[in-house]
Amino acid sequence: MPVLQCPIDGCNWKSQDLDEAFAAALTTALQIHDRTVHPPLAQPSTHKLKLDPPSIATGCDPDQWSAFTRQWKMYKTGMAITDNVLPTALFYCCDTNLRTDIMRDLQGDVASMLETDLLKAIKRLAVKEESTLVQRIKLNRMTQSPGSNIRTFLASLRGQASLCQYKATCKELGCNHIFDYSDEIIKDNLVRGIADPEIMSDLLGDSKTDRTLEETVSFIAQKEQGKVTRSAVGDSASAMSATCNTQKRPQAAGAKCWACGGPAHGQRNDRKARSRYCEAWTFTCSKCTVKGHYTKSCSKCTTCGVWGHRDASSRICTQGKGHRNPPNQGKSTKDQEQEQVGYIYEQLCTTSEQTNQVSRLEHHIFDGHWVARPSKPHPMLLVNMTPPT
């Protein structure tokens, strides 16, 4: 006589001996009940993500290898890679040279290898092993790059510190607890490697000296944000001040500036007003080589016939009453140069009776005669400096 057994896993129920016909009918009824009332749970559909595969090459350090293995785990999960193609996908994460080295090193079928074995083979060929002492020296030499924020620097320090094995085992008898003191080492190197000396001074001069690593990073981050905000506010204020000065610039109604051709700068349009507002003040005329007016605005003197001034009222005019130096007839070239230097100095550096201020002496060069021209840019030398440790 047949005996029926419960199909549910973990249940040990058994029926008594049953008639074969009754057992067959009961089995059919239970199967119908199971399909209609207890259908199998639908398996969740697998969604693949479009991800770029991580890459690894020969000559990488342990920190790069650790980053690669973490990225590989996320990649194979996101791409729903099955076990039968997993070794192939891992193999093609290596660059061309590394794949060649793997094929030379492993004579068997790479596509049928276990993932753990293939990872060990890749690590053996790709990672250059360095002692813990070398990793610690690298950590102590790390500094914050100019322009990067403190949290980016912290991430670099954490990655390097993970290779330094800053761990110690308790020496008490019967206690094998392992202490990880990486945060203290990271904090010391973080403070030492700050790029901004002003922020470092604020941190070292603060009365609170028992900050944790996170508190120290927050303190530096606030200082960095304050400097960025101050710079932005300062730029806005400068732009606003320049706009207000431009709007308040005094102009004579209907008058024009003879030097630039635009509206007159003030009622008198004198040298002081043009030095502040005239766009042609720093321009050197190509016709007369005199600085202070555009070439299109260059005029010819009605008295002496020389380009660069309008009439005899100009102090440059050799035949005008305002000219303090006699003509250069009968004088040597050296005497003429000295007189021109003296005239330029007297013209540019004479103390104003109204403002009691001295005008700025412009840069001149001698090109047949003295011409006001800006000096050449000063040379620059870029130097990388590292403070002694």
Side-chain angles (χ1 to χ4, degrees):
M1 302 291 288
V3 176
L4 297 181
Q5 202 170 16
C6 179
I8 304 299
D9 293 338
C11 183
N12 297 323
W13 177 85
K14 293 181 180 181
S15 68
Q16 298 177 352
D17 293 341
L18 301 176
D19 182 72
E20 292 184 0
F22 179 73
L26 182 59
T27 301
T28 303
L30 288 175
Q31 291 175 350
I32 295 174
H33 171 78
D34 185 54
R35 288 195 301 269
T36 55
V37 180
H38 305 290
L41 296 177
Q43 296 295 327
S45 59
T46 303
H47 297 282
K48 293 184 179 180
L49 302 177
K50 294 182 179 180
L51 303 175
D52 294 329
S55 60
I56 190 70
T58 55
C60 66
D61 55 35
D63 187 26
Q64 294 172 324
W65 172 255
S66 177
F68 168 75
T69 54
R70 295 198 302 269
Q71 294 176 22
W72 163 249
K73 289 180 181 179
M74 292 187 292
Y75 174 75
K76 70 179 182 180
T77 302
M79 294 295 292
I81 301 176
T82 57
D83 293 339
N84 58 333
V85 296
L86 191 145
T88 303
L90 177 58
F91 176 75
Y92 278 94
C93 289
C94 306
D95 71 343
T96 305
N97 295 331
L98 183 56
R99 291 201 299 266
T100 303
D101 293 340
I102 294 173
M103 297 301 292
R104 291 171 179 172
D105 183 60
L106 303 176
Q107 298 299 323
D109 185 10
V110 177
S112 61
M113 292 182 62
L114 295 176
E115 179 188 3
T116 55
D117 295 339
L118 183 56
L119 281 172
K120 291 179 181 179
I122 295 174
K123 182 179 180 181
R124 183 174 63 253
L125 295 172
V127 181
K128 54 180 181 180
E129 296 293 341
E130 294 178 339
S131 67
T132 304
L133 182 59
V134 173
Q135 302 297 343
R136 293 183 178 184
I137 293 175
K138 287 184 177 181
L139 177 67
N140 293 330
R141 290 179 177 177
M142 294 178 65
T143 56
Q144 182 184 9
S145 301
S148 65
N149 59 58
I150 194 63
R151 295 200 178 274
T152 302
F153 181 42
L154 174 63
S156 301
L157 290 174
R158 286 191 185 279
Q160 184 63 30
S162 64
L163 308 175
C164 297
Q165 299 296 323
Y166 286 116
K167 298 179 181 180
T169 305
C170 180
K171 301 299 182 181
E172 290 292 334
L173 184 62
C175 180
N176 295 322
H177 181 74
I178 299 177
F179 297 93
D180 188 339
Y181 57 99
S182 300
D183 284 357
E184 291 298 322
I185 303 297
I186 292 174
K187 185 179 71 171
D188 293 343
N189 285 275
L190 180 83
V191 175
R192 180 194 53 78
I194 297 175
D196 194 321
E198 183 179 345
I199 296 178
M200 180 183 289
S201 299
D202 293 342
L203 179 62
L204 298 178
D206 192 77
S207 59
K208 185 176 177 59
T209 59
D210 57 345
R211 288 187 175 90
T212 63
L213 174 60
E214 184 58 33
E215 290 174 345
T216 304
V217 172
S218 299
F219 178 88
I220 300 172
Q222 290 176 1
K223 292 290 183 179
E224 290 179 341
Q225 183 62 32
K227 297 193 72 172
V228 172
T229 305
R230 182 179 62 186
S231 177
V233 172
D235 294 342
S236 301
S238 300
M240 185 179 297
S241 176
T243 303
C244 294
N245 292 335
T246 303
Q247 294 175 351
K248 294 179 180 180
R249 185 181 300 172
Q251 296 181 355
K256 289 188 176 182
C257 173
W258 68 270
C260 66
H265 313 291
Q267 297 294 332
R268 300 177 58 185
N269 198 49
D270 54 4
R271 288 177 55 83
K272 181 179 179 182
R274 285 191 292 110
S275 67
R276 295 181 60 187
Y277 306 120
C278 185
E279 297 177 353
W281 180 254
T282 58
F283 184 82
T284 302
C285 176
S286 60
K287 183 180 293 185
C288 65
T289 66
V290 174
K291 188 177 181 181
H293 61 271
Y294 289 141
T295 303
K296 65 179 182 180
S297 302
C298 187
S299 57
K300 188 176 182 180
C301 180
T302 57
T303 303
C304 66
V306 177
W307 288 92
H309 58 282
R310 293 173 293 176
D311 49 37
S313 62
S314 175
R315 303 179 68 177
I316 303 178
C317 183
T318 57
Q319 299 182 13
K321 296 181 180 179
H323 185 68
R324 299 185 180 183
N325 296 313
N328 295 326
Q329 298 178 357
K331 296 183 179 181
S332 64
T333 303
K334 183 176 181 181
D335 294 337
Q336 293 179 20
E337 293 178 10
Q338 292 178 351
E339 288 185 358
Q340 289 182 5
V341 172
Y343 169 70
I344 292 172
Y345 183 82
E346 181 183 5
Q347 183 183 19
L348 297 178
C349 298
T350 302
T351 302
S352 174
E353 297 178 357
Q354 291 80 7
T355 61
N356 196 25
Q357 294 180 353
V358 179
S359 302
R360 183 181 62 181
L361 178 62
E362 299 178 357
H363 183 270
H364 284 68
I365 64 171
F366 186 77
D367 188 11
H369 59 282
W370 289 99
V371 181
R373 290 183 183 174
S375 62
K376 295 182 179 180
H378 294 286
M380 297 180 62
L381 179 63
L382 302 178
V383 179
N384 291 329
M385 302 181 66
T386 303
T389 56

